[in-house]
Amino acid sequence: MGGEFSLIAKYFSPAAPEGFLGVGDDCAMLPLRPGRQWVTSTDLLLQGRHFAADANPQHLGHKALAVNISDLAAMGARPEACLLGLALPKLDENWLQAFSKGFLQYAAQTGCALVGGDTTRSNGGIQISVTVLGTVPAGQALRRNAAQAGDDIWVSGHLGGAHLAWQLSAGAWPEWHARLPEVQAALEQPMPPWQLAQDLIQWAHAGLDISDGLLQDLSHVLQASACGAQLQYAQLPKHPALAGLPAGIQYECVLAGGEVYQLCFMAPRAHRDAIAALGVQQGVPLARVGEITAQSSLLVLDEDGSPIRLPKGGYDHFSSETP
Amino acid sequence: MGGEFSLIAKYFSPAAPEGFLGVGDDCAMLPLRPGRQWVTSTDLLLQGRHFAADANPQHLGHKALAVNISDLAAMGARPEACLLGLALPKLDENWLQAFSKGFLQYAAQTGCALVGGDTTRSNGGIQISVTVLGTVPAGQALRRNAAQAGDDIWVSGHLGGAHLAWQLSAGAWPEWHARLPEVQAALEQPMPPWQLAQDLIQWAHAGLDISDGLLQDLSHVLQASACGAQLQYAQLPKHPALAGLPAGIQYECVLAGGEVYQLCFMAPRAHRDAIAALGVQQGVPLARVGEITAQSSLLVLDEDGSPIRLPKGGYDHFSSETP
């Protein structure tokens, strides 16, 4: 950004925490972590696709990092470092201050140091690219291909809130528009359980984060692990704001709603009590929602044990991107 | 990209080379590299800023990775892995095929495995975000703050070609337009000396890649190392296509031209012969262009030893981004 770069630097100058070096160099240098393995993921967030031009910039800063922290949590990894690519159509100091506050506060909370990045002027809208790096004890990461028949299926947090907020913001279901304030935080400020995830690696077989919707994300695990699942719909942790909505809306939000950024994981029955206790201890709601099966089917059962009929073709037509 | 994702996957499906795991998981898992330290860098390339809409897609794929490999080379690091974020306004199979070919061929050449990424539809132009990861023996990375008075200053490759190509493409200096074909490759297909860089760590004190122009980039090293430099203009390795151009154009291209993606490094005199031999052995042109001094000034001397007068305010107004 040429002469404007100093203004960017003012808000984002990467600090060099203990063990990190090379800030100001061509690369950031990551600390040695003997016995631990590095894992990494990257996500793009584009104005007009993933967020609106008038999105709250502080929440956006938080979310840009949180959706990536969620990927680390899905592996049971400890957040270590992040890089931020930011393309801005203009230099708006108020926007930058708020965005950086949301980003850096969450980076500090999660111990995920901003160690590098790139900034440029955008000819279009705001474009955010975040890469995260974390570590996990070697060989202990939660994988998608390690679920086993008989495993309990767990879900952290609540389902459906972000999707309801997204639909209401887009003008859908106008008769329920008054619920928007109750679910806005679920969409704008996801809080992936990154601490819990690091403790889960001692018990869980497999895990993933719910970003595209429970059924779609879960199906990836089932495919990778060559197994199936039965979910008890009544046990799925529904966002409180869904109470009283028509069943069709609830199904869509809970089963297919994306942008949840909570964990779904699979663990042996023997660890039920330990896992439940961990959730209580960390203040993270944990629900046991079903079981991995040897068959390759994915069933959602109602309270009578009957499979709930889902829309033909599933919920593929619901995108987690804004329209 | 919803249903289009499979098409993206067709061209970019990250392979899982030996030692890498987690492809298809929420994160890519990097191999253990005992005794080596991970380094990382990220760059944005945006249509209309860094490349034109009609840029050759295969060259663009190459360049998107090469500008990042250049950052690894500047640290003396070995390329290990990369992540690609790609936002496309439309799905153009021909474009994708050519872009992925350029990217993946260079990834294979440099041993930099594509281990993850994110794709989405862009409402604007093409947006490319690449993050690279490399390793270097712990504590041996080339840093910007380690140049010492008396060190030789070296430059790899040639200077000025990319800047001349960029200016000619933009319509500047029309009387020299016939030279464009001679310099287009310098702009579109940079070839950072990533192998040489790994061998240099045994001898060099400091290094950086030339992305914003020799003088500007070198000044960062001088500032970080609290020293100065004297460059011999006659010894700077000029792109052959500059021969016969007016002195003013040559100065601008050689001293301030960006997008070079070659190395500038500082090493003790004692290693002159070893370094020169290494360049010959690897087929990388290496020029000894000056010396680090204890004073904080940066001087460029002509053949008589007189300082060349540079434009007031330096060349800051020349941006490496397209206008």
Side-chain angles (χ1 to χ4, degrees):
Chain A
M1 284 205 143
E4 294 160 348
F5 185 81
S6 58
L7 206 51
I8 300 276
K10 177 177 160 192
Y11 293 111
F12 281 110
S13 68
E18 190 98 30
F20 291 81
L21 290 171
V23 172
D25 266 293
D26 293 281
C27 292
M29 295 176 65
L30 303 173
L32 293 175
R33 294 284 188 248
R36 297 180 71 91
Q37 189 162 18
W38 287 89
V39 304
T40 182
S41 184
T42 192
D43 267 309
L44 297 171
L45 277 85
L46 306 189
Q47 178 183 321
R49 301 287 312 163
H50 304 95
F51 59 91
D54 63 352
N56 178 313
Q58 187 173 339
H59 294 175
L60 188 60
H62 169 97
K63 184 166 178 173
L65 183 54
V67 303
N68 282 280
I69 294 287
S70 183
D71 285 318
L72 293 178
M75 307 292 284
R78 181 171 79 197
E80 299 264 12
C82 58
L83 302 120
L84 171 64
L86 192 58
L88 300 173
K90 61 175 182 195
L91 210 72
D92 175 341
E93 278 216 57
N94 290 331
W95 190 93
L96 262 176
Q97 185 160 36
F99 179 87
S100 64
K101 186 177 175 187
F103 190 97
L104 294 174
Q105 275 186 350
Y106 192 63
Q109 274 172 40
T110 55
C112 192
L114 177 64
V115 297
D118 192 17
T119 54
T120 187
R121 186 178 286 279
S122 154
N123 290 341
I126 298 164
Q127 297 146 25
I128 307 163
S129 161
V130 176
T131 300
V132 282
L133 291 145
T135 59
V136 63
Q140 290 188 49
L142 298 181
R143 305 289 306 279
R144 290 189 177 186
N145 63 1
Q148 296 177 19
D151 279 353
D152 289 328
I153 302 174
W154 297 79
V155 168
S156 72
H158 294 103
L159 298 167
H163 187 72
L164 181 60
W166 176 75
Q167 287 284 36
L168 296 178
S169 301
W173 311 326
E175 66 275 32
W176 303 105
H177 194 266
R179 303 260 173 124
L180 183 53
E182 294 172 57
V183 283
Q184 209 140 21
L187 179 64
E188 293 185 7
Q189 294 167 282
M191 299 293 277
W194 55 277
Q195 280 178 301
L196 181 94
Q198 294 168 63
D199 292 323
L200 282 178
I201 57 173
Q202 61 191 310
W203 298 310
H205 283 149
L208 76 165
D209 78 323
I210 306 171
S211 53
D212 296 329
L214 176 63
L215 294 190
Q216 189 175 327
D217 290 321
L218 181 55
S219 71
H220 295 147
V221 168
L222 301 182
Q223 202 171 359
S225 301
C227 53
Q230 287 196 348
L231 299 177
Q232 308 296 329
Y233 184 77
Q235 289 170 30
L236 291 173
K238 300 160 194 75
H239 193 287
L242 294 175
L245 296 189
I249 292 181
Q250 291 207 37
Y251 287 158
E252 177 181 324
C253 290
V254 171
L255 298 172
E259 308 239 4
V260 178
Y261 303 114
Q262 291 289 336
L263 287 182
C264 175
F265 60 93
M266 297 77 194
R269 284 174 186 225
H271 300 308
R272 266 184 198 175
D273 293 346
I275 289 169
L278 180 69
V280 170
Q281 183 199 322
Q282 296 205 2
V284 176
L286 287 183
R288 195 156 46 75
V289 301
E291 188 178 300
I292 296 292
T293 59
Q295 298 86 344
S296 66
S297 56
L298 169 52
L299 294 176
V300 186
L301 305 178
D302 67 15
E303 293 193 336
D304 305 326
S306 312
I308 291 177
R309 282 189 57 187
L310 304 174
K312 257 194 177 167
Y315 286 102
D316 277 358
H317 56 294
F318 299 111
S319 162
S320 65
E321 300 186 352
T322 54
Chain B
M1 286 205 144
E4 294 160 348
F5 185 80
S6 56
L7 206 50
I8 301 273
K10 175 177 161 191
Y11 294 112
F12 282 111
S13 69
E18 191 98 29
F20 291 83
L21 290 171
V23 171
D25 266 294
D26 293 282
C27 291
M29 296 175 65
L30 304 173
L32 293 174
R33 293 285 189 247
R36 298 180 70 91
Q37 188 162 17
W38 287 89
V39 305
T40 182
S41 183
T42 193
D43 267 310
L44 295 173
L45 276 86
L46 307 188
Q47 178 184 322
R49 302 286 314 163
H50 304 94
F51 59 91
D54 62 353
N56 177 314
Q58 185 173 342
H59 295 174
L60 188 59
H62 168 98
K63 184 166 178 173
L65 182 55
V67 302
N68 282 280
I69 293 286
S70 183
D71 285 318
L72 293 178
M75 307 294 282
R78 181 173 76 199
E80 298 264 12
C82 58
L83 302 120
L84 170 65
L86 191 58
L88 300 174
K90 62 175 181 197
L91 210 70
D92 176 339
E93 279 215 58
N94 290 332
W95 190 94
L96 261 175
Q97 185 161 34
F99 179 86
S100 63
K101 185 177 176 187
F103 190 97
L104 294 174
Q105 274 186 351
Y106 192 62
Q109 273 174 37
T110 55
C112 192
L114 177 64
V115 297
D118 192 15
T119 54
T120 187
R121 185 178 286 280
S122 154
N123 291 340
I126 298 164
Q127 297 146 25
I128 307 163
S129 161
V130 177
T131 300
V132 282
L133 291 145
T135 58
V136 63
Q140 289 188 50
L142 297 180
R143 304 290 308 278
R144 289 188 178 186
N145 62 3
Q148 294 177 22
D151 279 352
D152 289 328
I153 303 175
W154 297 79
V155 168
S156 71
H158 295 104
L159 297 168
H163 187 73
L164 180 60
W166 177 76
Q167 289 283 36
L168 295 178
S169 301
W173 310 328
E175 65 274 34
W176 304 103
H177 194 265
R179 303 258 174 128
L180 183 53
E182 295 173 57
V183 283
Q184 210 139 19
L187 180 63
E188 294 185 8
Q189 294 167 281
M191 298 294 277
W194 56 278
Q195 280 179 299
L196 181 95
Q198 295 168 62
D199 292 322
L200 282 177
I201 58 174
Q202 59 191 313
W203 298 310
H205 284 149
L208 77 163
D209 76 322
I210 306 170
S211 53
D212 295 329
L214 176 64
L215 293 190
Q216 188 175 329
D217 290 320
L218 181 56
S219 71
H220 295 146
V221 167
L222 301 181
Q223 202 170 359
S225 301
C227 55
Q230 288 197 349
L231 299 177
Q232 308 297 329
Y233 183 77
Q235 289 169 30
L236 291 173
K238 300 159 195 77
H239 193 286
L242 295 174
L245 296 189
I249 292 182
Q250 291 207 38
Y251 287 159
E252 177 182 322
C253 290
V254 171
L255 298 172
E259 308 238 4
V260 178
Y261 303 114
Q262 289 288 335
L263 288 181
C264 176
F265 60 93
M266 296 79 194
R269 285 174 186 226
H271 300 308
R272 264 182 200 178
D273 294 345
I275 290 169
L278 180 68
V280 170
Q281 183 198 323
Q282 297 205 2
V284 176
L286 287 182
R288 195 156 45 75
V289 302
E291 186 178 300
I292 296 292
T293 60
Q295 299 87 344
S296 65
S297 56
L298 168 53
L299 294 176
V300 185
L301 306 179
D302 66 17
E303 292 192 337
D304 306 326
S306 314
I308 291 177
R309 281 188 59 186
L310 303 175
K312 254 193 182 170
Y315 286 102
D316 277 358
H317 56 296
F318 298 111
S319 159
S320 65
E321 301 187 353
T322 54

